[in-house]
Amino acid sequence: MTVSPHQIRADFSAAMSEMYRKEVPAYGTLVEIVETVNADVLDRDDNALALTPGEDTNRISAERHGAIRLGTAEELAMMGRVFAVMGMEPVGYYDLSVASVPVHSTAFRPIGRDALAENPFRVFTSLLRLELIEDDALRDKAAATLARRQIFTDGAVALTEKAEAEGGLDTADAARFVAEVLETFRWHPEACVDDATFAELIGAHRLIADVVSFKGPHINHLTPRTLDIDAAQAQMVAKGLPAKAIVEGPPRRDCPILLRQTAFKALNEAIRFPVDGGWEEGQHTARFGEIEQRGVALTPKGRALYDSLLAEVRADILPAADGSNAEDYVARLEEGFAAFPDTWRELHDRDLAYFKYGIGQGAATGENLDALLDSGALTISPIIYEDFLPVSAAGIFQSNLGDEARSGNQTASSREAFEAALGKRVTDEFELYEAMRAASYTAALEQLNSSAA
Ligand code: OOG
Ligand code: NI
């Protein structure tokens, strides 16, 4: 019997979570904090944060995103095929070079409303832009090092090909596929460059060293979703986790929008460099922990407002890496976002956010949407934002690479180059949200009309 891609994705997400818990014990602490906070929020009666009853609350405890950084076009293309077996498609293009991080990225994730409800696991996947290494000799060395490695097991490749040829995998193959693919994400403390090369790569950019120096693209964080990130952040601090000073993204609001994220800083980890047939001890910071709170997806109009308000705030004040101006930053952020409407109805009526429609208790009067909502014949509930935010992502990268990682030179990135490397187009996130909105609207009106008839 063929296993559904959604089941493979759920199994893979669970296997990854188990592996990361063993690799980075602080992640286990984070998961416990998030589970406690979420249970508290769901117990409250007044929980605007619980968002859509049913669909979104059921999946909360299983919800994760991870992140990896790849070195070559071939790695990205193969990764895309592997994720497709799990029902994950590339959505969105993120240009991180605007924040002096030498990568561009997409998020592999399920796209349909049902697929998301079954298991929303997603992976933020970055591709290194080697062309941003200025030194020719170092760039060649990095490229040659990457060309030598094979990040997928033979089994993972064979099972991906089988799934493509046969339109899926049976139970035994699906279990093997999960185990084989997990190997790509595993941490390997053995560097595949010597310490001098590692130091040179660090000098070019810490991120370049992280991508080039190891056998594979170790998962660098795995992020559970919390329903109250401020409560979770307070508990992180109370439990002694080295939390980032500020929460990235919009401020705390009655009606959460987009995505708020915080992290604990990357751990210092022992690594080993090859030397004369033996090993030499070294250190690297690669892996960290992050939590996120998701809110409503914004329309292009809402997103433009978000981007411009955030840019205004950040033109006045940038959060310092040491957290010294955190309070001022948060105060300025709240002040700036006072201009962003904060009731669901206003967000809906001003076309700033996406909503699903449902049938309410009120009697239908006419066809006018406003009137149907006013009378309670139709109801709205927020469509959750399933994607990422480049400015926040850059903040997450920075906090784990250290402030010195802000390099000056930037070249315009290229979505076309990224898609060429991947071997397919990345889907536009707004189209997906709009399709969900439209489908629920049509379905709700049909239901309304048939009960009126
Ligand atoms: C990815 C950082 C981006 C997020 O949640 O915005 C990210 C990375 O550090 O590789 O995961
Ligand atoms: Ni993340």
Side-chain angles (χ1 to χ4, degrees):
M1 212 193 67
T2 305
V3 182
S4 88
H6 310 313
Q7 187 58 50
I8 302 179
R9 179 173 70 253
D11 292 346
F12 183 74
S13 171
M16 184 92 104
S17 185
E18 199 185 306
M19 179 175 84
Y20 204 59
R21 217 181 257 262
K22 286 187 197 132
E23 289 186 349
V24 180
Y27 164 70
T29 311
L30 213 51
V31 169
E32 281 161 27
I33 291 174
V34 164
E35 278 172 1
T36 319
V37 167
N38 289 357
D40 282 354
V41 173
L42 290 171
D43 273 352
R44 272 184 240 151
D45 291 332
D46 62 330
N47 66 55
L49 296 172
L51 300 166
T52 317
E55 185 174 317
D56 295 306
T57 48
N58 289 342
R59 69 182 220 194
I60 291 284
S61 65
E63 184 144 357
R64 308 268 182 272
H65 85 250
I68 52 169
R69 304 151 183 175
L70 300 171
T72 67
E74 293 70 28
E75 291 176 359
L76 179 65
M78 187 64 207
M79 202 71 242
R81 291 168 59 194
V82 167
F83 282 138
V85 176
M86 299 189 237
M88 295 158 78
E89 294 299 326
V91 179
Y93 172 74
Y94 302 88
D95 174 8
L96 276 304
S97 74
V98 296
S100 305
V101 179
V103 301
H104 45 182
S105 319
T106 190
F108 286 95
R109 67 166 178 87
I111 54 179
R113 187 172 159 185
D114 294 344
L116 283 160
E118 258 188 76
N119 184 285
F121 180 64
R122 60 206 121 207
V123 179
F124 191 90
T125 303
S126 299
L127 175 63
L128 183 62
R129 297 178 65 204
L130 267 187
E131 72 273 19
L132 297 183
I133 301 185
E134 278 169 13
D135 179 327
D136 291 345
L138 186 62
R139 190 172 58 241
D140 291 348
K141 199 191 247 181
T145 307
L146 287 170
R148 276 196 298 272
R149 73 178 188 182
Q150 167 55 280
I151 65 169
F152 300 97
T153 65
D154 292 344
V157 175
L159 287 163
T160 301
E161 284 167 357
K162 185 168 181 183
E164 287 169 347
E166 297 176 10
L169 295 173
D170 67 20
T171 311
D173 279 345
R176 280 180 50 219
F177 174 85
V178 166
E180 296 282 348
V181 172
L182 202 60
E183 291 308 307
T184 300
F185 294 80
R186 193 181 290 284
W187 170 248
H188 301 279
E190 301 83 14
C192 45
V193 297
D194 59 28
D195 63 343
T197 307
F198 186 74
E200 264 188 281
L201 292 168
I202 292 271
H205 198 292
R206 293 189 68 89
L207 193 88
I208 299 177
D210 183 57
V211 178
V212 175
S213 310
F214 299 92
K215 223 165 102 180
H218 39 260
I219 177 96
N220 65 53
H221 65 285
L222 204 55
T223 300
R225 174 174 160 202
T226 177
L227 293 170
D228 186 346
I229 199 163
D230 301 292
Q233 165 98 347
Q235 285 206 32
M236 274 167 75
V237 174
K239 297 212 172 176
L241 292 178
K244 228 169 129 318
I246 60 139
V247 173
E248 298 285 347
R252 186 177 184 88
R253 299 158 42 88
D254 289 339
C255 299
I257 54 171
L258 295 174
L259 178 62
R260 300 181 68 212
Q261 296 167 293
T262 184
F264 67 75
K265 297 200 179 121
L267 313 166
N268 241 332
E269 305 190 80
I271 59 170
R272 296 194 281 280
F273 297 108
V275 57
D276 304 330
W279 296 100
E280 180 180 37
E281 300 297 312
Q283 294 224 313
H284 182 49
T285 50
R287 298 174 310 152
F288 58 99
E290 181 194 48
I291 54 177
E292 64 185 14
Q293 180 181 341
R294 291 188 173 268
V296 70
L298 299 185
T299 61
K301 189 177 158 200
R303 181 54 188 270
L305 181 59
Y306 172 81
D307 285 340
S308 74
L309 292 178
L310 188 65
E312 268 173 42
V313 171
R314 292 175 73 97
D316 279 358
I317 177 172
L318 276 179
D322 64 2
S324 50
N325 65 356
E327 267 181 44
D328 292 344
Y329 177 78
V330 170
R332 180 66 187 83
L333 188 68
E334 282 173 355
E335 182 194 314
F337 274 80
F340 210 111
D342 199 13
T343 65
W344 296 129
R345 186 63 197 271
E346 222 183 325
L347 290 168
H348 171 272
D349 291 357
R350 291 178 53 181
D351 190 29
L352 294 169
Y354 291 106
F355 292 87
K356 288 177 288 219
Y357 298 87
I359 301 295
Q361 302 298 322
T365 45
E367 292 260 299
N368 173 294
L369 177 55
D370 250 355
L372 290 171
L373 290 173
D374 286 345
S375 69
L378 278 190
T379 60
I380 49 171
S381 65
I383 295 179
I384 302 298
Y385 188 59
E386 307 289 351
D387 295 287
F388 294 86
L389 297 170
V391 174
S392 302
I396 301 281
F397 273 111
Q398 294 302 358
S399 72
N400 286 290
L401 297 168
D403 243 14
E404 82 276 21
R406 296 179 197 213
S407 75
N409 67 331
Q410 301 164 10
T411 321
S413 76
S414 153
R415 180 184 185 128
E416 289 71 33
F418 186 86
E419 290 178 332
L422 173 63
K424 58 175 154 179
R425 305 292 301 272
V426 300
T427 302
D428 179 78
E429 65 197 66
F430 293 109
E431 279 172 24
L432 298 176
Y433 297 120
E434 175 53 31
M436 276 191 204
R437 188 204 63 78
S440 90
Y441 186 57
T442 309
L445 282 190
E446 262 169 32
Q447 211 180 324
L448 208 58
N449 290 336
S450 69
S451 54

